[in-house]
Amino acid sequence: MVNCPMCDAVLDAEEDELDEGDELTCEECGESLTVVGKNPVDLEATSEENEEDDEDDDENGDDDDEEEEEEEEEEEEDDWK
């Protein structure tokens, strides 16, 4: 029996048929899941992996959006003064 780590629903998958890297979707909450471990089966939300990738991008100098947001906030503060 495999459970969704997000909502704890029972997933329609057999533990012995899953391999690391396999992707599943929880029918209850709709979360995309990836098998990250086999013994025992360990599932991780795929969206969490995407968030980590985004954080890595920011660390690599891909933070132009943040700079733009900060500039806009500063402009708004100046407008109040």
Side-chain angles (χ1 to χ4, degrees):
M1 181 169 74
V2 181
N3 293 68
C4 174
M6 304 306 284
C7 70
D8 206 35
V10 176
L11 300 174
D12 185 25
E14 295 295 324
E15 288 185 46
D16 57 340
E17 294 178 3
L18 295 173
D19 292 318
E20 285 188 39
D22 284 353
E23 294 185 2
L24 307 165
T25 300
C26 176
E27 293 178 13
E28 291 292 319
C29 68
E31 187 70 44
S32 295
L33 307 167
T34 303
V35 177
V36 294
K38 269 201 70 153
N39 196 6
V41 171
D42 185 21
L43 299 173
E44 193 172 272
T46 303
S47 58
E48 288 179 10
E49 291 176 9
N50 292 339
E51 288 173 11
E52 290 175 11
D53 290 344
D54 291 344
E55 290 173 10
D56 291 343
D57 290 344
D58 289 347
E59 291 173 6
N60 294 328
D62 193 19
D63 58 352
D64 293 335
D65 292 336
E66 283 183 25
E67 289 176 9
E68 289 175 15
E69 288 175 16
E70 288 175 10
E71 289 174 8
E72 288 175 10
E73 288 175 7
E74 289 175 6
E75 289 174 9
E76 288 175 11
E77 287 176 14
D78 290 340
D79 290 344
W80 281 96
K81 294 179 183 179

